[in-house]
Amino acid sequence: MSEAANPLTNKLVIQAFSDGVIHTLKTMAKTTPVAEKPFVDKKYRPKGAVAGMIGMVSGKIKGNLTISFEKEAAIKIINNMIGENHTDIDSQVLDAIGELTNIVYGCAKTVLNEFGYTFQMAIPIVIEGYDGIIPMHKGSTLILPFKTEGHSFYLEIIVQ
């Protein structure tokens, strides 16, 4: 697979990340998210109250992956994941969002590297608050929206 092709329009990339989200949440959080129609946004706007973000580099491709959650979605997913009953976003919820981001990226990275990409593991950061979620790279954003139990969250990929 040529890395020169724009990964934001590559169906393999979209499917790898979508499958990574669904597999991770089914396995780790005992919930099955429903993927909605992906779209490309020309200008990045944060979509959640809390987000996990991880840098992505493969050859000439540089970008970042962000999984942003509405507050209710984050709490529900993380409560399912860790088996506790948090009612607000606290340090334990933030840590779990970082781990979730890492697992989703790892799932997609494994699949994509089998098709010729060379993505490496990276350490996620977690950001709370709409004003704090700023991408590490500038460019168009592929947005994969999901719903779970009536709550929304978004996987966003920005490629420079």
Side-chain angles (χ1 to χ4, degrees):
M1 167 128 327
S2 167
E3 289 191 0
N6 184 346
L8 298 183
T9 59
N10 184 318
K11 289 181 183 180
L12 173 68
V13 171
I14 294 168
Q15 193 65 52
F17 281 104
S18 182
D19 289 350
V21 167
I22 292 168
H23 173 75
T24 300
L25 266 64
K26 274 184 177 179
T27 304
M28 302 296 295
K30 299 167 194 70
T31 188
T32 303
V34 175
E36 297 184 326
K37 185 177 179 175
F39 61 96
V40 174
D41 196 350
K42 299 287 185 194
K43 183 171 172 30
Y44 182 82
R45 288 174 225 102
K47 293 175 184 42
V50 62
M53 185 181 293
I54 195 163
M56 300 180 353
V57 176
S58 176
K60 294 181 181 180
I61 298 171
K62 291 180 177 59
N64 58 277
L65 164 105
T66 303
I67 305 176
S68 60
F69 301 87
E70 292 178 347
K71 179 181 175 181
E72 297 79 14
I75 291 170
K76 179 68 177 163
I77 289 167
I78 300 308
N79 281 344
N80 286 353
M81 185 174 157
I82 62 178
E84 294 184 9
N85 189 26
H86 294 267
T87 57
D88 207 354
I89 295 173
D90 59 21
S91 62
Q92 195 170 20
V93 171
L94 295 173
D95 288 346
I97 286 172
E99 184 60 25
L100 200 62
T101 303
N102 197 38
I103 295 168
V104 167
Y105 174 69
C107 287
K109 176 192 79 66
T110 299
V111 170
L112 292 172
N113 286 354
E114 289 174 4
F115 286 95
Y117 288 93
T118 57
F119 288 108
Q120 301 297 312
M121 286 308 295
I123 297 171
I125 59 171
V126 179
I127 305 156
E128 187 177 5
Y130 290 92
D131 295 335
I133 303 171
I134 300 168
M136 295 179 275
H137 297 281
K138 303 261 186 251
S140 294
T141 306
L142 170 65
I143 300 171
L144 305 174
F146 292 89
K147 280 211 186 282
T148 185
E149 300 179 39
H151 304 295
S152 297
F153 67 97
Y154 308 86
L155 185 136
E156 304 157 323
I157 302 171
I158 297 175
V159 176
Q160 191 169 335

